[in-house]
Amino acid sequence: MKNFDFYNPVTILFGEGRIGEIKNKVPNGSIVMLTYGGGSIKRNGVYSQVMAALDGFKVIEFGGIEPNPRYETLMKAVEVARSERVDFIIAVGGGSVIDGTKFISAAIPFKGNDPWDILAMAGKVEINHAVPFGTVLTLPATGSEMNMFAVISRNSTTEKLSFGHPLVFPKFSVLDPTVTYSLPVNQIANGVVDAFVHVIEQYLTYPVNANIQDRWAEGLMQTLIEVGPQALANPMNYDVRANVMWSCTMAVNGLLSTGVPTDWATHTIGHELTVFFGLDHAVTLSIVLPSLMREMKGEKRLKVLQFAQRVWNIEVGTEDRKVDEAIEKTESFFQAMGIKTRLSAYGITEEQLKPIFDRFEERGWKLGEMKTITPDRVKSILLAAL
Ligand code: NZQ
Ligand code: ZN
């Protein structure tokens, strides 16, 4: 096992009926900005629960944060928050609203020239202060409610970049599984697949004798394989939704990555498919991961064999066959969740991929746990996913 630091200060309020408790978590006298997305919270009753909990606070609303939140939109929130002297933020929504809020929180007091540098120069600019915030999660998927990362898109440059900083851990997150009953089927599927791939990114590398982390990862994947289809079939089952929700949070809150190598290439490639073609985040992962596993099955062999045996219970056949079967089962799982796993199914052609190939070439990024996923291999992965 590798050396590691582990720090996670987020208070989780889990369970039905917990939203009202946010009033005890927001400091008295705060000027609160309420951030949200396109309006689902007004239709499913979450907005009124949050507003009731914030009775007595001055609340400034900022709605309209879109999926794959945009810098251009978020900077409008930063302006409002600065002029209204906002000193606490409540983000109500999925990963996009929460990620957007992390950016707003860091950008409000940012002293550098251009807040975009928080992303473009992630890790190299100083972030000394961030406006504190809490979240009410409405879509289990990204783990943003319990981690310090955010992914932000910029329209003008067709970029999707991430940053992470300990100051943008939420102060608290409310996880009430009943608020997920209103999710459309495709968003439930997206969440389950996103969480599954988060686990894979922190597991399917090479063995370092991190027994607990491996078992946590395998337990999470088995749970997602079990409850994912149940969540589609029985949309109002509380226990199923509770298990989906907590699995998604646990999949990427820092615990699984302790002491192990991590990959994240599927995400990095997937982000480009979102900015160029507007595909949902989880859809991009469903397309890239099976193809990446095929490309990387040599380097990842030992872990893929462990994954085959412990997650998919594949016991018979040659080692090569077990590896192939594990990849097939993973792809079939995404398909069973209703997600198509080929670029052509979304009308994307080889010709259209060229700007993505060029971008990887220009950036010269080498991805993966061993930095062996070169721009050429990214090209092979995407061509094989057509
Ligand atoms: O905007 P509203 O009207 O609220 O509708 C949203 C949105 O259209 C809807 N929705 C959310 N909760 C709902 C609901 N509809 C009905 N009932 C509810 N309870 O769902 C749609 C999608 O929401 P979004 O927040 O975009 O989805 P998700 O949570 O999947 O977030 C995706 C974003 O997170 C980033 C992705 O790149 C993407 O930008 N990620 C963030 C990560 C992190 N911070 O650690 C890691 C992830 O890998 C990911 O990259
Ligand atoms: Zn993800």
PDB file of all heavy atoms in Angstrom, residues 80-98:
ATOM      1  N   VAL A  80     -23.348  38.662  -8.511  1.00  0.00           N
ATOM      2  CA  VAL A  80     -24.464  38.904  -7.589  1.00  0.00           C
ATOM      3  C   VAL A  80     -23.995  38.685  -6.151  1.00  0.00           C
ATOM      4  O   VAL A  80     -24.253  39.501  -5.256  1.00  0.00           O
ATOM      5  CB  VAL A  80     -25.649  37.947  -7.907  1.00  0.00           C
ATOM      6  CG1 VAL A  80     -26.763  38.106  -6.882  1.00  0.00           C
ATOM      7  CG2 VAL A  80     -26.165  38.157  -9.314  1.00  0.00           C
ATOM      8  N   ALA A  81     -23.278  37.605  -5.932  1.00  0.00           N
ATOM      9  CA  ALA A  81     -22.852  37.271  -4.561  1.00  0.00           C
ATOM     10  C   ALA A  81     -21.927  38.339  -3.992  1.00  0.00           C
ATOM     11  O   ALA A  81     -22.020  38.693  -2.812  1.00  0.00           O
ATOM     12  CB  ALA A  81     -22.151  35.915  -4.563  1.00  0.00           C
ATOM     13  N   ARG A  82     -21.058  38.880  -4.850  1.00  0.00           N
ATOM     14  CA  ARG A  82     -20.154  39.941  -4.362  1.00  0.00           C
ATOM     15  C   ARG A  82     -20.961  41.184  -3.994  1.00  0.00           C
ATOM     16  O   ARG A  82     -20.749  41.776  -2.943  1.00  0.00           O
ATOM     17  CB  ARG A  82     -19.115  40.289  -5.433  1.00  0.00           C
ATOM     18  CG  ARG A  82     -17.994  39.264  -5.549  1.00  0.00           C
ATOM     19  CD  ARG A  82     -17.063  39.643  -6.690  1.00  0.00           C
ATOM     20  NE  ARG A  82     -15.948  38.710  -6.804  1.00  0.00           N
ATOM     21  CZ  ARG A  82     -15.186  38.591  -7.895  1.00  0.00           C
ATOM     22  NH1 ARG A  82     -15.426  39.342  -8.959  1.00  0.00           N
ATOM     23  NH2 ARG A  82     -14.185  37.731  -7.933  1.00  0.00           N
ATOM     24  N   SER A  83     -21.910  41.559  -4.870  1.00  0.00           N
ATOM     25  CA  SER A  83     -22.613  42.817  -4.574  1.00  0.00           C
ATOM     26  C   SER A  83     -23.579  42.657  -3.398  1.00  0.00           C
ATOM     27  O   SER A  83     -23.824  43.606  -2.671  1.00  0.00           O
ATOM     28  CB  SER A  83     -23.305  43.364  -5.827  1.00  0.00           C
ATOM     29  OG  SER A  83     -24.377  42.543  -6.153  1.00  0.00           O
ATOM     30  N   GLU A  84     -24.080  41.469  -3.185  1.00  0.00           N
ATOM     31  CA  GLU A  84     -25.016  41.254  -2.063  1.00  0.00           C
ATOM     32  C   GLU A  84     -24.287  40.830  -0.786  1.00  0.00           C
ATOM     33  O   GLU A  84     -24.902  40.561   0.221  1.00  0.00           O
ATOM     34  CB  GLU A  84     -26.038  40.157  -2.436  1.00  0.00           C
ATOM     35  CG  GLU A  84     -26.929  40.495  -3.616  1.00  0.00           C
ATOM     36  CD  GLU A  84     -28.056  41.456  -3.236  1.00  0.00           C
ATOM     37  OE1 GLU A  84     -28.281  41.695  -2.039  1.00  0.00           O
ATOM     38  OE2 GLU A  84     -28.693  41.969  -4.184  1.00  0.00           O
ATOM     39  N   ARG A  85     -22.990  40.723  -0.850  1.00  0.00           N
ATOM     40  CA  ARG A  85     -22.164  40.304   0.297  1.00  0.00           C
ATOM     41  C   ARG A  85     -22.607  38.952   0.887  1.00  0.00           C
ATOM     42  O   ARG A  85     -22.757  38.777   2.093  1.00  0.00           O
ATOM     43  CB  ARG A  85     -22.162  41.374   1.393  1.00  0.00           C
ATOM     44  CG  ARG A  85     -21.629  42.685   0.879  1.00  0.00           C
ATOM     45  CD  ARG A  85     -21.479  43.724   1.964  1.00  0.00           C
ATOM     46  NE  ARG A  85     -20.872  44.928   1.420  1.00  0.00           N
ATOM     47  CZ  ARG A  85     -19.571  45.073   1.190  1.00  0.00           C
ATOM     48  NH1 ARG A  85     -18.744  44.110   1.493  1.00  0.00           N
ATOM     49  NH2 ARG A  85     -19.102  46.177   0.659  1.00  0.00           N
ATOM     50  N   VAL A  86     -22.812  38.016  -0.003  1.00  0.00           N
ATOM     51  CA  VAL A  86     -23.210  36.661   0.405  1.00  0.00           C
ATOM     52  C   VAL A  86     -22.094  36.029   1.231  1.00  0.00           C
ATOM     53  O   VAL A  86     -20.924  36.116   0.871  1.00  0.00           O
ATOM     54  CB  VAL A  86     -23.486  35.815  -0.870  1.00  0.00           C
ATOM     55  CG1 VAL A  86     -23.505  34.325  -0.561  1.00  0.00           C
ATOM     56  CG2 VAL A  86     -24.786  36.260  -1.531  1.00  0.00           C
ATOM     57  N   ASP A  87     -22.450  35.400   2.354  1.00  0.00           N
ATOM     58  CA  ASP A  87     -21.394  34.741   3.129  1.00  0.00           C
ATOM     59  C   ASP A  87     -21.687  33.272   3.436  1.00  0.00           C
ATOM     60  O   ASP A  87     -20.949  32.622   4.179  1.00  0.00           O
ATOM     61  CB  ASP A  87     -21.029  35.517   4.402  1.00  0.00           C
ATOM     62  CG  ASP A  87     -22.241  35.867   5.236  1.00  0.00           C
ATOM     63  OD1 ASP A  87     -23.295  35.254   5.013  1.00  0.00           O
ATOM     64  OD2 ASP A  87     -22.119  36.754   6.097  1.00  0.00           O
ATOM     65  N   PHE A  88     -22.741  32.725   2.848  1.00  0.00           N
ATOM     66  CA  PHE A  88     -22.972  31.281   2.910  1.00  0.00           C
ATOM     67  C   PHE A  88     -23.779  30.901   1.668  1.00  0.00           C
ATOM     68  O   PHE A  88     -24.588  31.699   1.192  1.00  0.00           O
ATOM     69  CB  PHE A  88     -23.739  30.885   4.183  1.00  0.00           C
ATOM     70  CG  PHE A  88     -23.540  29.441   4.554  1.00  0.00           C
ATOM     71  CD1 PHE A  88     -22.534  29.066   5.436  1.00  0.00           C
ATOM     72  CD2 PHE A  88     -24.327  28.426   3.986  1.00  0.00           C
ATOM     73  CE1 PHE A  88     -22.300  27.728   5.757  1.00  0.00           C
ATOM     74  CE2 PHE A  88     -24.111  27.088   4.299  1.00  0.00           C
ATOM     75  CZ  PHE A  88     -23.101  26.738   5.188  1.00  0.00           C
ATOM     76  N   ILE A  89     -23.520  29.720   1.150  1.00  0.00           N
ATOM     77  CA  ILE A  89     -24.258  29.282  -0.047  1.00  0.00           C
ATOM     78  C   ILE A  89     -24.879  27.915   0.241  1.00  0.00           C
ATOM     79  O   ILE A  89     -24.261  27.072   0.911  1.00  0.00           O
ATOM     80  CB  ILE A  89     -23.329  29.158  -1.288  1.00  0.00           C
ATOM     81  CG1 ILE A  89     -22.480  30.423  -1.461  1.00  0.00           C
ATOM     82  CG2 ILE A  89     -24.134  28.902  -2.559  1.00  0.00           C
ATOM     83  CD1 ILE A  89     -21.444  30.337  -2.594  1.00  0.00           C
ATOM     84  N   ILE A  90     -26.102  27.732  -0.236  1.00  0.00           N
ATOM     85  CA  ILE A  90     -26.730  26.405  -0.191  1.00  0.00           C
ATOM     86  C   ILE A  90     -26.955  25.980  -1.645  1.00  0.00           C
ATOM     87  O   ILE A  90     -27.673  26.646  -2.396  1.00  0.00           O
ATOM     88  CB  ILE A  90     -28.106  26.430   0.521  1.00  0.00           C
ATOM     89  CG1 ILE A  90     -27.998  26.945   1.961  1.00  0.00           C
ATOM     90  CG2 ILE A  90     -28.747  25.050   0.481  1.00  0.00           C
ATOM     91  CD1 ILE A  90     -27.571  25.937   2.973  1.00  0.00           C
ATOM     92  N   ALA A  91     -26.329  24.875  -2.022  1.00  0.00           N
ATOM     93  CA  ALA A  91     -26.484  24.336  -3.376  1.00  0.00           C
ATOM     94  C   ALA A  91     -27.537  23.238  -3.330  1.00  0.00           C
ATOM     95  O   ALA A  91     -27.400  22.293  -2.556  1.00  0.00           O
ATOM     96  CB  ALA A  91     -25.154  23.754  -3.848  1.00  0.00           C
ATOM     97  N   VAL A  92     -28.555  23.351  -4.157  1.00  0.00           N
ATOM     98  CA  VAL A  92     -29.612  22.340  -4.167  1.00  0.00           C
ATOM     99  C   VAL A  92     -29.690  21.748  -5.572  1.00  0.00           C
ATOM    100  O   VAL A  92     -30.152  22.407  -6.507  1.00  0.00           O
ATOM    101  CB  VAL A  92     -30.979  22.947  -3.769  1.00  0.00           C
ATOM    102  CG1 VAL A  92     -32.025  21.840  -3.628  1.00  0.00           C
ATOM    103  CG2 VAL A  92     -30.860  23.733  -2.468  1.00  0.00           C
ATOM    104  N   GLY A  93     -29.214  20.525  -5.720  1.00  0.00           N
ATOM    105  CA  GLY A  93     -29.242  19.924  -7.049  1.00  0.00           C
ATOM    106  C   GLY A  93     -28.306  18.748  -7.159  1.00  0.00           C
ATOM    107  O   GLY A  93     -27.884  18.149  -6.160  1.00  0.00           O
ATOM    108  N   GLY A  94     -27.949  18.445  -8.409  1.00  0.00           N
ATOM    109  CA  GLY A  94     -27.031  17.345  -8.683  1.00  0.00           C
ATOM    110  C   GLY A  94     -25.597  17.848  -8.745  1.00  0.00           C
ATOM    111  O   GLY A  94     -25.271  18.949  -8.266  1.00  0.00           O
ATOM    112  N   GLY A  95     -24.738  17.046  -9.375  1.00  0.00           N
ATOM    113  CA  GLY A  95     -23.322  17.382  -9.443  1.00  0.00           C
ATOM    114  C   GLY A  95     -23.075  18.726 -10.110  1.00  0.00           C
ATOM    115  O   GLY A  95     -22.156  19.456  -9.723  1.00  0.00           O
ATOM    116  N   SER A  96     -23.902  19.076 -11.091  1.00  0.00           N
ATOM    117  CA  SER A  96     -23.642  20.328 -11.811  1.00  0.00           C
ATOM    118  C   SER A  96     -23.831  21.536 -10.904  1.00  0.00           C
ATOM    119  O   SER A  96     -23.009  22.458 -10.903  1.00  0.00           O
ATOM    120  CB  SER A  96     -24.556  20.428 -13.036  1.00  0.00           C
ATOM    121  OG  SER A  96     -24.207  19.410 -13.951  1.00  0.00           O
ATOM    122  N   VAL A  97     -24.918  21.532 -10.143  1.00  0.00           N
ATOM    123  CA  VAL A  97     -25.166  22.671  -9.247  1.00  0.00           C
ATOM    124  C   VAL A  97     -24.103  22.702  -8.141  1.00  0.00           C
ATOM    125  O   VAL A  97     -23.574  23.763  -7.794  1.00  0.00           O
ATOM    126  CB  VAL A  97     -26.597  22.587  -8.663  1.00  0.00           C
ATOM    127  CG1 VAL A  97     -26.790  23.633  -7.565  1.00  0.00           C
ATOM    128  CG2 VAL A  97     -27.633  22.761  -9.763  1.00  0.00           C
ATOM    129  N   ILE A  98     -23.756  21.540  -7.632  1.00  0.00           N
ATOM    130  CA  ILE A  98     -22.777  21.508  -6.538  1.00  0.00           C
ATOM    131  C   ILE A  98     -21.387  21.907  -7.052  1.00  0.00           C
ATOM    132  O   ILE A  98     -20.694  22.728  -6.438  1.00  0.00           O
ATOM    133  CB  ILE A  98     -22.762  20.118  -5.852  1.00  0.00           C
ATOM    134  CG1 ILE A  98     -24.155  19.825  -5.271  1.00  0.00           C
ATOM    135  CG2 ILE A  98     -21.698  20.072  -4.754  1.00  0.00           C
ATOM    136  CD1 ILE A  98     -24.316  18.434  -4.676  1.00  0.00           C
TER     137      ILE A  98
END
